[in-house]
Amino acid sequence: MNFVLGGKGANLAEMSRIGLPVPGGFTITCQTCVEYSGAGNVWPAGALDEIVAAEADLEARCGKKLGDARDPLLVSVRSGAPFSMPGMMDTVLNLGLNDDSVQGLIAQTQNPRFAWDSYRRFIQMFSNVVMGVDADLFENALTRARLVAGVRVDSELSAEDLQELVVTFKGIFSDNVEASLYPELEVADGKPIFPHDPELQLRLAIQAVFGSWMNERACIYRKQHGISDDLGTAVNVQAMAFGNKGETSATGVAFTRNPADGTKEFYGDFLVNAQGEDVVAGIRTPQKIETLQQVMPDVYEQFVNIAHTLENHYRDMQDMEYTIERGKLYM
């Protein structure tokens, strides 16, 4: 299955099959990527129709719609190559946010800070991953916002600070995206506008993940590790689970055993009130997995049981990613 659904897609499907708490989603196959790339970045016949149908099925399962101004569905778009290629491929989180759906997110969560934080993260990741805008432009703007607000870390920025950052980030997008390269985008005063339509957001994000299969660092990595360029990457579109909804939310990575020496012990990190990219970005210092037992004992117990289930099922040590949204664990 790895050569069809990619490693991540195959494992998500298998975890769902054995009843673990996995957010709903769908996977676009590695073969679609190969056909798309081989045809000069042209979609295979019928592929876009199948994606639209899969999207409608996901909306029905979640009871939410992409871009809904009252209760929006937000998704992540992640690569999933047949073989693990850590840090080589691209990810976009919080896709589906726009000026309307952010208001729906505020209404549903009663948490404006969370909604604006999610929106600024989406603009930042979409601009960098999908449009190739320099990530430092956004990090510099974030640093300036912290200095102006007089705070030390991003999580201390207020809802108002983050709402202003959304406007700033949209400006960075417009100033640094070449309109002629993206005829799908609306233009104002000769500059492209950040895309409002979730369908367009999703299509561009999927195309970017396909494109990342052939980026320079991925090609070099495959050459060094003897992985064929002909395999392609799958794309996993999955309903978001939010680790940044406050102090009862978190995100992290863990191993069922110590990866250095194989000792049978949980080994990993997590960050409270954060999203997955925060853990790997190194901007904030994570806490050890043992601390989770103290701050969220019920979640920790569930996590331990799931870890044992996975290790017994796969008969091997497991490397896991997890998110806790308001006390509910997702794998």
Side-chain angles (χ1 to χ4, degrees):
M1 289 297 283
N2 281 26
F3 290 97
V4 178
L5 301 177
K8 186 180 287 287
N11 285 320
L12 287 169
E14 184 65 8
M15 286 197 295
S16 298
R17 193 185 66 78
I18 63 175
L20 299 189
V22 176
F26 60 89
T27 299
I28 302 161
T29 64
C30 298
Q31 286 69 29
T32 308
C33 172
V34 172
E35 290 185 41
Y36 174 85
S37 301
N41 297 345
V42 174
W43 282 95
L48 287 173
D49 292 336
E50 288 189 40
I51 290 171
V52 169
E55 182 190 320
D57 175 65
L58 177 60
E59 289 176 333
R61 282 186 279 149
C62 293
K64 299 181 178 186
K65 293 185 75 69
L66 274 171
D68 190 343
R70 293 160 301 178
D71 186 14
L73 171 64
L74 303 180
V75 298
S76 61
V77 180
R78 289 185 169 93
S79 62
F83 296 99
S84 178
M85 296 172 57
M88 294 298 110
M89 311 291 282
D90 290 330
T91 295
V92 179
L93 303 179
N94 308 322
L95 188 142
L97 278 171
N98 56 34
D99 292 348
D100 296 331
S101 60
V102 73
Q103 297 300 330
L105 200 57
I106 291 170
Q108 286 297 319
T109 62
Q110 296 298 300
N111 189 340
R113 191 201 173 281
F114 158 72
W116 290 111
D117 184 43
S118 299
Y119 196 8
R120 71 91 184 164
R121 287 169 183 269
F122 171 53
I123 296 169
Q124 185 172 356
M125 295 184 82
F126 187 92
S127 300
N128 174 238
V129 170
V130 179
M131 299 297 185
V133 179
D134 186 351
D136 286 345
L137 295 172
F138 298 98
E139 288 301 327
N140 293 341
L142 200 50
T143 301
R144 283 195 297 274
R146 288 198 303 268
L147 290 171
V148 169
V151 300
R152 191 173 54 85
V153 292
D154 300 348
S155 57
E156 294 173 343
L157 290 169
S158 69
E160 291 74 23
D161 295 332
L162 293 162
Q163 188 173 357
E164 288 178 17
L165 263 180
V166 164
V167 176
T168 302
F169 281 10
K170 283 183 181 176
I172 293 172
F173 175 93
S174 294
D175 290 340
N176 292 276
V177 171
E178 181 57 56
S180 62
L181 298 177
Y182 300 96
E184 311 97 323
L185 297 178
E186 293 182 39
V187 175
D189 299 323
K191 294 183 177 181
I193 301 170
F194 190 84
H196 182 89
D197 179 10
E199 304 289 340
L200 178 58
Q201 293 174 359
L202 182 58
R203 181 163 58 81
L204 290 173
I206 293 169
Q207 289 173 187
V209 173
F210 281 166
S212 71
W213 175 253
M214 293 306 294
N215 70 31
E216 185 180 11
R217 70 180 189 274
C219 289
I220 292 171
Y221 182 92
R222 286 197 297 276
K223 188 173 182 181
Q224 289 175 336
H225 291 82
I227 300 171
S228 170
D229 287 340
D230 298 333
L231 298 174
T233 181
V235 181
N236 300 292
V237 179
Q238 194 174 19
M240 286 292 303
F242 294 100
N244 58 328
K245 273 191 176 178
E247 295 305 304
T248 58
S249 301
T251 188
V253 294
F255 298 87
T256 52
R257 296 170 189 248
N258 188 313
D261 58 18
T263 303
K264 191 171 183 179
E265 63 181 7
F266 283 118
Y267 184 95
D269 299 321
F270 73 99
L271 278 173
V272 171
N273 197 19
Q275 287 198 322
E277 295 305 298
D278 298 333
V279 178
V280 296
I283 297 166
R284 290 169 58 191
T285 304
Q287 301 179 68
K288 294 297 179 188
I289 188 74
E290 294 82 2
T291 311
L292 187 63
Q293 188 172 13
Q294 299 157 23
V295 296
M296 300 182 201
D298 292 345
V299 171
Y300 182 79
E301 184 179 352
Q302 185 189 2
F303 183 74
V304 169
N305 291 334
I306 287 173
H308 287 319
T309 298
L310 283 171
E311 196 169 80
N312 290 335
H313 183 76
Y314 284 103
R315 298 170 184 248
D316 203 350
M317 169 183 162
Q318 297 299 300
D319 170 7
M320 303 167 293
E321 299 175 10
Y322 60 96
T323 291
I324 302 158
E325 180 179 327
R326 289 181 171 171
K328 182 172 173 54
L329 176 64
Y330 293 96
M331 302 302 293

